């Protein structure tokens, strides 16, 4: 079953394959000089997309082409090599070069999702009868392109996660002289304002007790990005137990969101060989 349309899968795979190191088809240390052929990276990559999109288990997605153990081992290999994180970085750089990241307007907010399997980053969820949950403090640019995240237990408040989330800005290179950070009323405190002032950032924070539509500020971009991320069922209901694996799936999801936005926004201004016939 196809997890993504070809106009999105193919450019993702082309760039991903370019980041992979060369591997022999057969294991060179086998005493007889032969062994089972190495499972193709493209097969595992497609399985990873299916895992991310549909949220199924490794055993359910395994078939005659590869086993669940092979998917897990290749996933861990790619995490050690940093391929998924590098893929996300390249997607951001391409988007910034072609369309342009709106870095003078930043939005930060937290989102709580289910984590039935518990794990290193899980905690008691205050909105799900104390069941295990995961909170992500996400940051986006002024359009909604994901820039980074911090994972924590669902029982953590948004405000203490703001500083480590803003630290993700350091990896983006040169930044505008003036940056406005849009926050909801959960961040309305003197501590938050002092934190923003120390970093030379301007804050636009909703006030507690005052009702205001989300459209009144540019905070709705991060809310939309949380919705985009929750469309990947492995993130909305996370059974992974290790933070490194969860981050890897988030990197893959953020890459898909960035490349999809890049193709949609450049469809009317650029031409390329694999350009979709209609605007996606």
């Amino acid at each position: 079953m196809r997890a993504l349309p070809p106009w999105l899968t193919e450019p993702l795979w082309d760039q991903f394959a370019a980041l992979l190191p060369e591997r022999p088809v057969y294991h060179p240390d086998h005493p007889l000089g032969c062994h089972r052929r190495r499972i193709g990276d493209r097969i595992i990559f497609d399985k990873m997309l299916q895992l991310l999109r549909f949220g199924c288990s490794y055993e359910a997605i395994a078939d005659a082409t590869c086993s669940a153990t092979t998917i897990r081992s290749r996933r861990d290999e790619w995490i050690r090599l940093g391929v998924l994180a590098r893929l996300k970085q390249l997607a951001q750089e391409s988007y910034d070069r072609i369309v342009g990241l709106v870095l003078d307007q930043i939005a930060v907010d937290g989102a709580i999702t289910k984590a039935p399997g518990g794990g290193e980053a899980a905690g008691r969820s205050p909105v799900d009868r104390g069941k295990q949950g995961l909170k992500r403090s996400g940051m986006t640019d002024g359009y909604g392109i994901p820039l980074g995240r911090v994972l924590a237990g669902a029982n953590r408040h948004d405000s203490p996660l703001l500083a480590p989330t803003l630290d993700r800005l350091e990896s983006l290179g040169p930044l505008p002289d003036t940056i406005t950070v849009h926050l909801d009323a959960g961040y309305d405190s003197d501590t938050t304002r002092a934190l923003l002032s120390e970093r030379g950032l301007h804050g636009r924070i909703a006030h507690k007790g005052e009702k205001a539509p989300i459209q009144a500020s540019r905070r709705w971009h991060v809310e939309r990005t949380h919705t985009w991320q929750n469309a990947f069922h492995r993130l909305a209901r996370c059974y992974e137990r290790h933070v490194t694996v969860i981050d890897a799936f988030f990197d893959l999801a953020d890459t898909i969101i960035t490349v999809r936005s890049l193709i949609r926004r450049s469809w009317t201004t650029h031409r390329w060989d694999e350009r979709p016939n209609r605007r996606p």
Side-chain angles (χ1 to χ4, degrees):
M1 182 180 297
R2 198 164 59 190
L4 298 173
W7 57 263
L8 184 54
T9 305
E10 294 307 318
L12 286 172
W13 165 249
D14 290 342
Q15 184 59 73
F16 186 82
L19 297 174
L20 295 176
E22 293 186 3
R23 290 287 191 270
V25 177
Y26 298 98
H27 199 287
D29 297 333
H30 194 273
L32 300 179
C34 61
H35 197 56
R36 290 182 302 173
R37 294 175 62 91
R38 176 182 169 88
I39 304 297
D41 289 320
R42 178 61 190 268
I43 295 175
I44 307 299
F45 182 75
D46 288 340
K47 294 294 185 184
M48 290 284 288
L49 294 180
Q50 294 173 20
L51 287 168
L52 176 65
R53 179 65 181 85
F54 303 128
C56 52
S57 66
Y58 293 91
E59 286 73 18
I61 206 67
D63 53 22
T65 60
C66 65
S67 65
T69 301
T70 302
I71 299 173
R72 290 191 182 97
S73 61
R74 197 72 57 88
R75 174 205 68 189
D76 294 340
E77 176 185 339
W78 291 345
I79 292 175
R80 288 194 301 270
L81 294 174
V83 179
L84 294 169
R86 178 58 178 159
L87 183 66
K88 176 192 173 184
Q89 182 183 3
L90 290 174
Q92 284 184 350
E93 292 174 354
S94 299
Y95 184 94
D96 191 24
R97 183 173 62 255
I98 298 173
V99 178
L101 292 170
V102 186
L103 295 178
D104 60 336
Q105 304 291 331
I106 300 296
V108 179
D109 197 13
I112 296 177
T113 56
K114 295 178 179 293
E120 298 174 349
R124 290 175 57 86
S125 176
V127 297
D128 194 18
R129 296 166 293 173
K131 295 181 179 180
Q132 291 294 294
L134 180 70
K135 170 169 283 190
R136 63 175 181 268
S137 176
M139 177 174 58
T140 68
D141 78 332
Y143 178 75
I145 301 300
L147 302 178
R149 86 208 70 83
V150 172
L151 302 177
N155 53 345
R156 292 287 304 277
H157 194 273
D158 290 345
S159 185
L161 300 176
L162 178 60
T165 304
L166 292 175
D167 289 341
R168 302 297 189 271
L169 288 172
E170 299 176 359
S171 63
L172 299 178
L175 299 172
D177 295 333
T178 303
I179 299 176
T180 301
V181 182
H182 299 267
L183 304 167
D184 64 15
Y187 300 88
D188 186 17
S189 66
D190 293 337
T191 302
T192 298
R193 293 182 177 86
L195 172 66
L196 296 176
S197 179
E198 292 173 0
R199 296 169 179 255
L201 305 173
H202 299 279
R204 187 173 182 183
I205 309 172
H207 297 290
K208 295 179 180 178
E210 296 182 9
K211 292 184 178 181
I214 192 173
Q215 295 86 354
S217 70
R218 304 188 67 169
R219 182 170 49 85
W220 67 272
H221 292 290
V222 69
E223 302 287 353
R224 181 180 63 177
T225 301
H226 282 316
T227 303
W228 287 344
Q229 292 172 331
N230 287 337
F232 299 100
H233 293 285
R234 195 161 206 83
L235 306 183
R237 191 177 182 88
C238 182
Y239 284 91
E240 302 291 351
R241 299 185 58 84
H242 300 290
V243 173
T244 55
V245 177
I246 301 173
D247 269 326
F249 276 109
F250 265 106
D251 286 340
L252 183 56
D254 290 350
T255 301
I256 295 171
I257 292 171
T258 303
V259 173
R260 183 176 60 194
S261 299
L262 172 59
I263 293 175
R264 286 176 174 174
R265 300 193 70 183
S266 61
W267 189 87
T268 56
T269 58
H270 293 73
R271 297 290 184 271
W272 62 96
D273 294 337
E274 295 81 13
R275 178 176 176 267
N277 296 328
R278 294 184 297 177
R279 185 172 185 177

